[in-house]
């Protein structure tokens, strides 16, 4: 863990990111946890890795307002 911080310290200039109006890592991590955890981790749910990845992708597209993009992508990959 310390090696990660030592090797990436210059990219962790939080004040610089705030000055540019970028989200903090805490906001990003909370959003990630909300998208990936809410549906797949409900009681009684059992998912394969493929199924969990698909529902998380669908939730991410829906929450970000890009649901039409999701279905367009799926139609083109079929």
């Amino acid at each position: 863990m310390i090696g990660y911080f030592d090797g990436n310290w210059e990219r962790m200039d939080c004040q610089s990111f705030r000055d540019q109006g970028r989200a903090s890592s805490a906001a990003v991590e909370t959003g990630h946890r909300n998208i990936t955890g809410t549906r797949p981790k409900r009681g009684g749910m059992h998912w394969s890795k493929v199924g969990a990845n698909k529902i998380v992708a669908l939730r991410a597209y829906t929450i970000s307002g890009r649901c039409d993009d999701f279905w367009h992508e799926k139609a083109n990959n079929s």
Side-chain angles (χ1 to χ4, degrees), residues 31-48 51-60 62-63:
H32 176 268
R33 186 172 35 253
N34 183 24
I35 290 171
T36 61
T38 303
R39 171 83 178 167
K41 294 181 181 177
R42 286 188 179 155
M45 299 265 180
H46 300 282
W47 300 89
S48 67
N53 285 336
K54 288 181 179 182
I55 197 67
V56 166
L58 180 57
R59 284 183 53 77
T62 301
I63 291 169

Side-chain angles (χ1 to χ4, degrees), residues 14 17-18 22-35:
C14 294
F17 291 126
R18 280 193 289 273
R22 295 185 182 183
S24 71
S25 63
V28 173
E29 290 170 16
T30 299
H32 176 268
R33 186 172 35 253
N34 183 24
I35 290 171

